[in-house]
Amino acid sequence: MVRRPVEGEVHVHYGQIYVESDPDSFGPDLAEAFAGQSGGLCGAAVSGALWLTTGLHTGDVGFTVEVHDQAPPLDAAWEDVVEVSFRPGSDSSALVQWAGEDTWELDLEETDYLVRYCAKGMDEAHQQDTRLNDEPQLDCYLLQFTDNAVSPLVGKDDHSACTSAGCGACSPVSSARWA
């Protein structure tokens, strides 16, 4: 079974959006989120929080969040994929826009999850920088949560220039490679 608490478009600023689960926190900063990591797609170094990078600097991106009871297959259509471990810090987890401008409740249990963050169109969106209301969607993202007990980490692959260490918009960050 799959549940989709977020499906459609979300607005991003500064190429970032977050998952937060600590009601007393305003989320991690960039250096904390990616501490000890080697790419730039998903910062998971702070307990109970995720920093999600987008190619687009400002505007609406396609975004879906799925919560699965079994590990979903990996769709080869995604250009960039990273998997990380995540455990919410409370029973209140949300997808949060930059500066808390909007939130979407995710209804996650306080348990260990495998999180898969998938991206498509990051480089084109990064080059465009800003998407105005009348312009077509450039990049889209899929964030999947699965109970970590039934879903071992299976891999990571990030190809976009925006997720690499040399990109000016993204720090040299992301999860270690699993095989």
Side-chain angles (χ1 to χ4, degrees):
M1 187 168 118
V2 62
R3 181 172 57 81
R4 290 183 181 88
V6 179
E7 191 169 19
E9 291 191 336
V10 300
H11 195 81
V12 297
H13 289 290
Y14 300 101
Q16 54 198 261
I17 194 162
Y18 324 94
V19 172
E20 297 179 9
S21 65
D22 181 351
D24 298 325
S25 173
F26 191 66
D29 70 21
L30 181 67
E32 291 175 324
F34 292 102
Q37 296 182 210
S38 62
L41 198 55
C42 178
V46 174
S47 179
L50 298 172
W51 179 302
L52 307 167
T53 301
T54 64
L56 195 69
H57 181 277
T58 302
D60 292 339
V61 300
F63 209 98
T64 300
V65 177
E66 296 178 343
V67 182
H68 293 263
D69 58 2
Q70 301 183 61
L74 177 59
D75 185 339
W78 294 104
E79 299 165 354
D80 299 283
V81 178
V82 66
E83 293 178 336
V84 298
S85 295
F86 174 75
R87 182 179 183 89
S90 74
D91 62 357
S92 178
S93 297
L95 182 69
V96 180
Q97 250 180 235
W98 185 82
E101 293 174 346
D102 204 352
T103 63
W104 296 264
E105 183 58 45
L106 300 179
D107 296 317
L108 298 175
E109 297 178 18
E110 287 183 72
T111 190
D112 293 326
Y113 289 94
L114 165 72
V115 176
R116 181 184 291 158
Y117 185 46
C118 307
K120 194 177 342 181
M122 285 188 80
D123 286 342
E124 181 182 357
H126 180 69
Q127 290 173 352
Q128 180 73 24
D129 185 67
T130 301
R131 177 182 173 209
L132 303 177
N133 291 337
D134 60 341
E135 295 177 336
Q137 187 181 92
L138 299 171
D139 51 344
C140 58
Y141 303 86
L142 173 63
L143 183 64
Q144 298 173 311
F145 292 86
T146 307
D147 185 329
N148 205 21
V150 299
S151 304
L153 292 168
V154 296
K156 171 202 167 268
D157 195 13
D158 59 351
H159 296 289
S160 294
C162 192
T163 65
S164 70
C167 174
C170 305
S171 291
V173 293
S174 190
S175 299
R177 188 168 194 92
W178 291 285

